[in-house]
Amino acid sequence: MQLKLAKIILSAIFILFHSSRSEFCHEAHGLIYNDQILIGGNYKSIITRGILACSHKCLADPTCTSYNYERSTESQGACELINEEAESKEVLRERKGNIFNVISFSNNLRKPRSCLQAWNQGARTSGFYLIQGRTECLFYEMYCDFSSEPGWAWTLVMSQGFGNRGNSFTKSPFLKGVLKNQRTPNWEKYRIGKGRMWVIKESSSHWRVTCDFPNFGVDFRDYLRAAFQNLNPIKFEASGKCCKMDYIDIRGHNCTGCTAAWWQNDQRFLTHFSDQDECQFGKTPGSGANEANFGGYWKSNTNIAFRCSSSERSTTNYWFGGRV
């Protein structure tokens, strides 16, 4: 039987907004076979509102390479998702009212999974970039810093204004998946979810904390940088544990390649108490009782001489990245 190939070339950017406000998009082109169906090759069958909704489902699923669509009513139809392995084994059959569509993805919308990958793809200017999420079609706008530390690329994963220290997103530890304004990066109220952090971490070797980055950039005062292999904030849980730092500075008290004490549990955000450090870094001169640095701020456990807590408008900024 000779197959009827409809000479219809699809070339579009499909955008689907889910109730969670996740945006799925992908550029795709393909061939539509009218009145044809791939028999027995589907791995998922669903009901969708139209053929475009079926296309979105396929585009949002990394394993899907084609689909069958059969309209059952004016507004709905049966959508069968098919993977590449099934395509190679099955054959097309003629069936009135059905459509078989082979999807081909365009590479020009494939986005980096971190700012470090964006650098490797040619990005050089600090600013906002579309960074790929956990699936190929899930994108987020994120802030990338390529200039404050020559030789490094950084992705902003969280930023809190000192005036917002009572907000739940600043108190909840990295162990939990709390997020704030995940799709709109800003300096005062911003935190991506735990799943997104793991995606960024996968292509990062280090993390850092800066104080009031919009005003000071990086001059290595009130600053820290550490390798994930020495302290991974996403899963760290300990009380006063000594962890190796690449570099740490608190109000001019600093060291390179030394250990510093860190606290975090399921109720407390990651912090360094500068009056309690028994590691190589030691206690910072002039520290107050339970003085918190780089997060975990209370109303009375901060120091105005520390940039992150110097005023209600100060910010604490958390980044994942690595050497370029």
Side-chain angles (χ1 to χ4, degrees):
M1 180 187 301
Q2 185 175 3
L3 298 180
K4 299 177 181 178
L5 174 61
K7 300 192 177 201
I8 302 175
I9 307 295
L10 297 182
S11 182
I13 298 176
F14 295 108
I15 301 178
L16 176 63
F17 291 96
H18 288 259
S19 58
S20 63
R21 301 297 295 167
S22 297
E23 181 180 307
F24 288 87
C25 56
H26 221 310
E27 185 175 39
H29 62 275
L31 296 175
I32 290 181
Y33 294 80
N34 278 323
D35 297 328
Q36 304 290 333
I37 187 171
L38 193 72
I39 302 295
N42 66 296
Y43 65 90
K44 183 186 292 185
S45 297
I46 51 179
I47 300 298
T48 62
R49 295 183 177 180
I51 189 172
L52 286 180
C54 186
S55 296
H56 288 143
K57 292 294 184 182
C58 185
L59 290 167
D61 188 333
T63 63
C64 182
T65 58
S66 61
Y67 62 86
N68 292 320
Y69 181 77
E70 178 185 12
R71 177 181 291 181
S72 55
T73 68
E74 286 298 317
S75 60
Q76 292 184 326
C79 176
E80 296 182 341
L81 304 186
I82 301 165
N83 59 28
E84 187 174 10
E85 182 179 355
E87 282 184 32
S88 64
K89 296 179 179 179
E90 306 299 331
V91 293
L92 285 173
R93 292 287 185 267
E94 186 173 3
R95 182 176 293 180
K96 273 291 190 184
N98 284 259
I99 292 173
F100 173 65
N101 188 10
V102 179
I103 298 289
S104 298
F105 296 108
S106 174
N107 290 326
N108 65 338
L109 278 186
R110 195 169 295 272
K111 300 298 179 184
R113 298 177 73 88
S114 70
C115 294
L116 181 58
Q117 288 190 358
W119 172 279
N120 292 335
Q121 293 180 16
R124 294 295 182 269
T125 303
S126 297
F128 296 98
Y129 289 81
L130 278 181
I131 302 298
Q132 184 176 300
R134 285 171 288 178
T135 67
E136 290 186 355
C137 301
L138 179 60
F139 301 149
Y140 293 86
E141 184 178 45
M142 304 193 77
Y143 185 81
C144 298
D145 170 34
F146 301 128
S147 57
S148 69
E149 292 185 74
W152 293 80
W154 297 99
T155 307
L156 183 69
V157 298
M158 177 178 173
S159 188
Q160 59 166 302
F162 184 63
N164 297 314
R165 59 191 177 279
N167 196 295
S168 60
F169 87 96
T170 71
K171 294 180 177 181
S172 181
F174 284 112
L175 298 167
K176 298 183 178 180
V178 174
L179 53 88
K180 187 72 173 180
N181 299 322
Q182 180 173 229
R183 303 190 67 82
T184 53
N186 64 87
W187 301 112
E188 293 78 26
K189 294 182 179 181
Y190 175 63
R191 178 173 171 173
I192 65 174
K194 188 176 179 181
R196 288 286 303 122
M197 287 191 183
W198 277 111
V199 172
I200 303 298
K201 187 266 176 190
E202 286 174 3
S203 59
S204 302
S205 59
H206 288 71
W207 62 282
R208 71 175 184 178
V209 184
T210 58
C211 287
D212 224 359
F213 182 85
N215 292 318
F216 295 101
V218 172
D219 60 7
F220 301 102
R221 184 178 177 89
D222 298 333
Y223 168 95
L224 77 89
R225 184 178 68 231
F228 279 107
Q229 65 181 9
N230 296 323
L231 195 168
N232 182 349
I234 309 176
K235 66 178 184 179
F236 178 79
E237 187 170 10
S239 179
K241 183 178 180 180
C242 296
C243 301
K244 185 177 180 181
M245 303 284 103
D246 280 17
Y247 181 83
I248 182 171
D249 179 283
I250 297 175
R251 304 195 311 277
H253 173 59
N254 56 63
C255 70
T256 302
C258 67
T259 60
W262 289 92
W263 286 257
Q264 182 172 239
N265 58 38
D266 62 356
Q267 299 297 320
R268 173 191 289 164
F269 188 82
L270 183 72
T271 192
H272 170 87
F273 292 117
S274 56
D275 65 318
Q276 301 178 33
D277 192 326
E278 300 293 340
C279 306
Q280 293 172 343
F281 183 58
K283 299 176 182 179
T284 300
S287 295
N290 298 313
E291 183 185 320
N293 304 106
F294 306 113
Y297 310 125
W298 309 331
K299 288 186 177 180
S300 59
N301 73 331
T302 58
N303 191 322
I304 61 171
F306 185 62
R307 282 179 179 172
C308 286
S309 55
S310 62
S311 76
E312 294 293 299
R313 291 176 293 179
S314 299
T315 60
T316 307
N317 329 109
Y318 307 84
W319 313 74
F320 291 177
R323 294 186 181 276
V324 299

